[in-house]
Amino acid sequence: MTLKPQDLKHVNYLWDDDTADKLDPVERLRYRSNILGADQRITNTGGGNTSSKIKMTDPLNGDEVDVLWVKGSGGDLRTSTRANFASLYMDKFLSLENIYNKAEVKGVKTEIEDSMVDMYRHTTFGLNPTASSIDTPLHGLIPFRNVDHMHPVSVIAIAASKDQERLTQEVFEEEVGWVPWQRPGFDLGLVMRNKLKQDPDLKGLVMGQHGLINWADDDKSCYELTLSLIEKAAHYIEKHDKGDKTFGGQKYKSLEEKTRNEILIKLLPILRGKVSQANRFIGTIHVTESVLQFVNSVDAPRLAEIGTSCPDHFLRTKIKPLYVDWDPQNESVEALLEKLESGLVKYRSDYAAYYDACKHPNSPTMRDPNPTVILIPGLGLIAWGKNKSESRVTAEFYSLAIEVMRASEAISEYQGLPRQEAFDIEYWLLEEAKLKRMPPEKEFARSVVVVIGAGSGIGKATAHRVAAEGAHVVCADLSVEAAQQTADELIQKYGVGIGVAGTGISGCGPAIALSVDITKRESIKSMLENVVLAYGGVDNIIITAGIFVSPDKQGYIPDDKWALTYAINATGPFLVADEAKKIWQAQGLRTSLVITTSANAAVAKQGSFAYDTSKAAANHLVRELAIELSPLVRVNGLAPATVVEGSSMFPRDRVISSLTKYNIPFDESESTESLRDKLAVFYAQRTLTKSPITLADQAEMAYLLSSSKFSKTTGQIISVDGGLHEAFLR
Ligand SMILES: [Zn+2]
């Protein structure tokens, strides 16, 4: 019996007739998918799929035909749009069974099964370019008009238990049947259809080690059934929950947040360096009550070794995490580092052994053998991925796996997927083909780039430039509001930022904003520590922060302004390098530092000698640091000249005084940017290239100097000044 909305306590009932009734049938499917995907207890990010069989007019002949609309490959139910759904002529799709049946060898994991995926394209209705997923037959072969396939924690807990078939019967009685684990594909669709033929009253099936599938002719009823079944499973689990005795009880205690962060700040760069030997990774720290209860428990080592169960989970989490048996109350951080080192060595060799034991003659080559999930008592969970979003989802998946284990151990005994089955998913040729279709990674993918001075001018332009190369950009500035503005622009452009649980850092997606005063070592240290907590480490740093103090009419600069000019333009970059050095050395990964100096550093002229001499010091600092930090860090200088566009160093009064000085006509009513343009055109005439120098020109060079394109260049100052012969370095 389907439960009423008011009886649901473990899932949110979100269906709204007023909204749904205004939509066409395909949009109703999109709506249903979005509200199912919005609740992590119903399905995980990117997991599960939905379908509707909808009567539509065939554009070829005007006839009414049945069309299967089914969530396609990739994307997430919560954010799916119409474009995420594939559409297939039902009659053509069903006729594929004839081809399947004609194959001499058929069944799960046979060649014909994999080749069916390519056949779905031939059944496309309405020129829809969306690719069908491997789960399509699970929807197409079920003779009901609406089907939901979800990965709810509560149902996976049943499906990952030793006596899953009996539990299915006990929890759902006659309503839901059970099918053992089988890799999804055409054959699994046939197995399910047969199950339904034998028992036409079935409303759904628990899929062994995998999830739930259920159906109804009406779409709202299908949605309500999905929620009702998940509620029943969750209710049953709640009744059996072991409370304090969960996971055999607690063996260790959690550390205070302050102590935990101090350890993580020390640990993360070292760990990142160790897991990033082949490919660089971005980290996510995940610390919730439930994660801590698991990592601190008696059973954690045993359960961690079994690995995750749902195939969606372990594709990210790998077959198992690395659990480090460290006593946070009685052992030192040095002991933890030693245990991590030996744990990693063992993990990699276990992974290679798993690969060797399970591989087939045509298997893809072994992937990165480092763990993507690391569990440490007292501290929590550290996840690694190729970018922030991937490591965050990996952390989410393992925390869902923890919920599955908690529930499964409460009602029965938790069971992992057999290693060979796990391997046949992980190294599935179809998965490999999907990986091969992905566009090549960008220059700064997997990298954390800190731009100091990102709130305006060259820094802001540079933040945008490196973000376009796939960087995770830390927008640092004296003004945190200005830094946040730049970070918001990047998040707007490249995707939503996500907070990092337990660290107090929000907006941690492609960009974050942090305040920094580069005249203060403590401020720099704290900014870099926040970067480590947000991403696991630091790669390139680009410093664009600087100050220009105009002398008064007599050419006088007060002593405090002289000192400030040096503190920001020369000592600041040194302090940044000196603090970053500790993190860079702990990581042991090649990186780069770019310091913005100035063409003025090489040209003596009247009136700006605090600025000019401080920049000359910065030029030499570049050379000294290049020697000091080699071979780990390349250090180069970017020497701009007279970038007036959008520059905070050219405030309105300075622009006006320059225009007056050079007898350039202007109108007081003109905007500052228009006055700056006039000055830029004038300055351009003094250069060899006769072209105004833009922020984009500077950002391009800041990017190039940081990139692999300049991997053999260090200790150099590159001028981007349009060609000023008096500033030539010699
Ligand atoms: Zn699934």
Side-chain angles (χ1 to χ4, degrees):
M1 183 197 75
T2 305
L3 296 171
K4 300 255 168 338
Q6 61 269 22
D7 299 327
L8 302 172
K9 295 193 174 59
H10 298 89
V11 278
N12 295 328
Y13 185 92
L14 298 174
W15 187 281
D16 173 37
D17 278 332
D18 286 345
T19 308
D21 292 349
K22 289 193 191 83
L23 305 170
D24 73 35
V26 180
E27 279 298 313
R28 283 174 75 98
L29 170 63
R30 190 269 311 150
Y31 171 69
R32 180 172 112 226
S33 309
N34 292 168
I35 58 176
L36 285 168
D39 190 338
Q40 272 201 2
R41 296 167 298 183
I42 295 177
T43 204
N44 56 295
T45 302
N49 28 63
T50 47
S51 67
S52 288
K53 298 173 186 82
I54 298 169
K55 291 213 180 303
M56 304 193 94
T57 307
D58 189 341
L60 295 175
N61 54 23
D63 290 352
E64 188 178 73
V65 285
D66 245 345
V67 179
L68 170 66
W69 284 84
V70 55
K71 164 81 177 18
S73 198
D76 180 37
L77 285 178
R78 182 178 64 84
T79 53
S80 278
T81 63
R82 200 182 181 110
N84 288 98
F85 292 85
S87 49
L88 298 79
Y89 283 97
M90 266 306 284
D91 57 346
K92 290 185 188 173
F93 169 77
L94 290 173
S95 73
L96 293 178
E97 197 179 340
N98 298 328
I99 295 177
Y100 182 78
N101 283 334
K102 276 192 201 126
E104 262 179 47
V105 188
K106 55 181 178 279
V108 63
K109 296 193 238 175
T110 54
E111 216 172 282
I112 182 70
E113 199 190 39
D114 275 6
S115 68
M116 294 304 280
V117 178
D118 274 342
M119 301 301 293
Y120 304 149
R121 271 192 289 167
H122 294 286
T123 71
T124 301
F125 171 89
L127 306 175
N128 185 344
T130 305
S132 300
S133 86
I134 48 167
D135 284 348
T136 304
L138 276 49
H139 294 264
L141 293 171
I142 296 290
F144 281 82
R145 302 202 71 82
N146 290 280
V147 178
D148 289 342
H149 163 51
M150 301 290 127
H151 298 157
V153 163
S154 55
V155 179
I156 303 176
I158 292 169
S161 288
K162 219 167 186 179
D163 45 0
Q164 40 185 282
E165 190 173 7
R166 180 191 64 77
L167 282 167
T168 302
Q169 163 74 30
E170 192 175 324
V171 176
F172 301 109
E173 295 168 350
E174 304 308 314
E175 210 175 7
V176 172
W178 172 83
V179 287
W181 159 258
Q182 178 173 331
R183 192 170 82 176
F186 205 80
D187 203 70
L188 182 57
L190 294 173
V191 167
M192 289 176 166
R193 193 184 62 186
N194 283 340
K195 199 85 186 163
L196 187 55
K197 264 189 197 147
Q198 288 159 17
D199 185 354
D201 293 334
L202 282 181
K203 293 176 181 170
L205 291 164
V206 167
M207 302 159 70
Q209 310 293 132
H210 184 159
L212 173 68
I213 188 164
N214 52 268
W215 45 77
D217 277 328
D218 172 63
D219 58 357
K220 183 179 169 186
S221 308
C222 187
Y223 171 79
E224 291 181 341
L225 175 65
T226 302
L227 265 56
S228 163
L229 296 175
I230 296 170
E231 176 70 28
K232 279 181 192 171
H235 179 72
Y236 180 86
I237 288 162
E238 194 181 41
K239 271 196 325 205
H240 291 81
D241 188 70
K242 289 186 171 166
D244 288 350
K245 298 205 173 59
T246 294
F247 302 134
Q250 298 288 282
K251 187 174 171 191
Y252 302 118
K253 286 201 236 358
S254 299
L255 294 167
E256 291 289 316
E257 189 175 339
K258 189 167 169 284
T259 317
R260 184 175 72 217
N261 282 350
E262 278 165 13
I263 296 174
L264 285 169
I265 286 161
K266 193 166 172 192
L267 179 78
L268 284 167
I270 299 173
L271 193 49
R272 179 169 186 242
K274 288 189 193 300
V275 298
S276 298
Q277 292 306 325
N279 300 294
R280 239 168 248 227
F281 286 106
I282 302 293
T284 288
I285 309 158
H286 197 63
V287 189
T288 60
E289 279 308 311
S290 126
V291 163
L292 287 169
Q293 186 188 29
F294 182 71
V295 295
N296 293 340
S297 74
V298 172
D299 289 342
R302 171 179 66 85
L303 291 168
E305 190 59 29
I306 297 174
T308 47
S309 181
C310 178
D312 250 36
H313 294 180
F314 81 73
L315 273 176
R316 297 290 186 104
T317 62
K318 287 222 156 101
I319 46 166
K320 63 173 183 181
L322 166 60
Y323 169 84
V324 186
D325 198 353
W326 175 66
D327 180 344
Q329 274 70 48
N330 296 302
E331 285 185 288
S332 66
V333 179
E334 284 62 38
L336 170 58
L337 288 171
E338 268 171 39
K339 288 189 169 182
L340 259 171
E341 176 66 43
S342 56
L344 283 169
V345 171
K346 166 127 188 354
Y347 189 95
R348 294 184 197 114
S349 81
D350 282 0
Y351 188 83
Y354 149 79
Y355 177 84
D356 283 335
C358 300
K359 71 172 184 227
H360 304 287
N362 61 349
S363 289
T365 50
M366 191 178 86
R367 307 223 170 91
D368 198 315
N370 283 294
T372 57
V373 174
I374 297 175
L375 306 170
I376 307 174
L379 293 178
L381 180 163
I382 301 164
W384 299 100
K386 66 175 188 224
N387 53 39
K388 185 67 199 174
S389 153
E390 188 176 279
S391 69
R392 188 193 61 78
V393 172
T394 298
E396 174 202 315
F397 283 10
Y398 200 79
S399 35
L400 292 175
I402 289 174
E403 297 301 321
V404 167
M405 289 185 277
R406 177 189 177 118
S408 175
E409 291 274 304
I411 56 177
S412 170
E413 193 182 318
Y414 176 68
Q415 219 180 22
L417 203 59
R419 287 294 193 253
Q420 186 65 56
E421 290 298 320
F423 181 91
D424 291 343
I425 292 271
E426 190 178 356
Y427 285 89
W428 196 351
L429 292 173
L430 291 177
E431 286 290 337
E432 179 72 3
K434 230 196 269 176
L435 291 176
K436 288 220 169 95
R437 279 199 302 270
M438 305 240 282
E441 288 188 350
K442 292 184 174 159
E443 174 72 28
F444 287 152
R446 302 173 175 270
S447 293
V448 180
V449 180
V450 181
V451 181
I452 299 177
S456 64
I458 297 174
K460 193 188 195 59
T462 301
H464 277 271
R465 183 66 188 88
V466 295
E469 296 299 329
H472 300 78
V473 189
V474 177
C475 302
D477 203 284
L478 186 60
S479 156
V480 73
E481 291 78 22
Q484 190 63 57
Q485 169 70 36
T486 305
D488 287 347
E489 289 165 15
L490 298 179
I491 291 163
Q492 182 81 26
K493 210 162 161 185
Y494 299 102
V496 183
I498 299 139
V500 184
T503 64
I505 290 168
S506 59
C508 190
I512 56 169
L514 292 169
S515 75
V516 67
D517 177 350
I518 60 167
T519 66
K520 297 191 171 67
R521 187 182 279 276
E522 269 313 304
S523 169
I524 295 164
K525 182 166 177 274
S526 140
M527 183 272 288
L528 291 173
E529 287 175 354
N530 278 321
V531 178
V532 167
L533 289 175
Y535 294 117
V538 177
D539 297 300
N540 306 320
I541 298 183
I542 299 169
I543 305 171
T544 65
I547 187 171
F548 179 90
V549 178
S550 296
D552 67 12
K553 292 222 163 58
Q554 283 73 45
Y556 176 72
I557 294 177
D559 289 353
D560 61 333
K561 290 287 188 307
W562 177 279
L564 182 68
T565 304
Y566 268 71
I568 294 176
N569 293 350
T571 313
F574 166 72
L575 293 177
V576 170
D578 204 45
E579 280 303 314
K581 183 169 92 173
K582 297 168 195 165
I583 297 169
W584 284 330
Q585 285 178 342
Q587 265 181 177
L589 301 170
R590 294 286 178 113
T591 59
S592 132
L593 170 67
V594 172
I595 297 172
T596 307
T597 69
S598 169
N600 285 27
V603 188
K605 62 177 193 275
Q606 212 162 18
S608 53
F609 60 98
Y611 180 78
D612 297 355
T613 54
S614 70
K615 290 295 189 178
N619 268 8
H620 204 57
L621 179 69
V622 165
R623 302 174 187 117
E624 298 276 358
L625 285 173
I627 294 167
E628 165 83 11
L629 298 174
S630 84
L632 210 52
V633 187
R634 294 184 300 108
V635 185
N636 290 292
L638 162 65
T642 52
V643 184
V644 280
E645 175 205 358
S647 169
S648 58
M649 286 203 235
F650 281 87
R652 192 177 177 88
D653 55 344
R654 183 177 176 203
V655 176
I656 288 176
S657 86
S658 296
L659 290 171
T660 314
K661 181 164 117 195
Y662 300 121
N663 290 322
I664 303 165
F666 67 93
D667 194 324
E668 285 282 359
S669 66
E670 281 180 68
S671 71
T672 308
E673 231 13 83
S674 143
L675 296 176
R676 281 174 176 159
D677 284 348
K678 285 199 164 126
L679 191 59
V681 168
F682 170 77
Y683 282 145
Q685 290 315 307
R686 305 198 299 192
T687 68
L688 298 173
T689 61
K690 309 284 181 213
S691 315
I693 300 145
T694 65
L695 292 172
D697 297 331
Q698 306 300 335
E700 189 66 20
M701 187 53 76
Y703 150 65
L704 285 171
L705 285 172
S706 309
S707 76
S708 61
K709 295 182 172 71
F710 273 67
S711 65
K712 308 289 169 65
T713 300
T714 187
Q716 299 304 309
I717 315 293
I718 309 288
S719 297
V720 180
D721 57 6
L724 294 170
H725 66 84
E726 65 275 30
F728 287 172
L729 288 174
R730 59 182 75 87

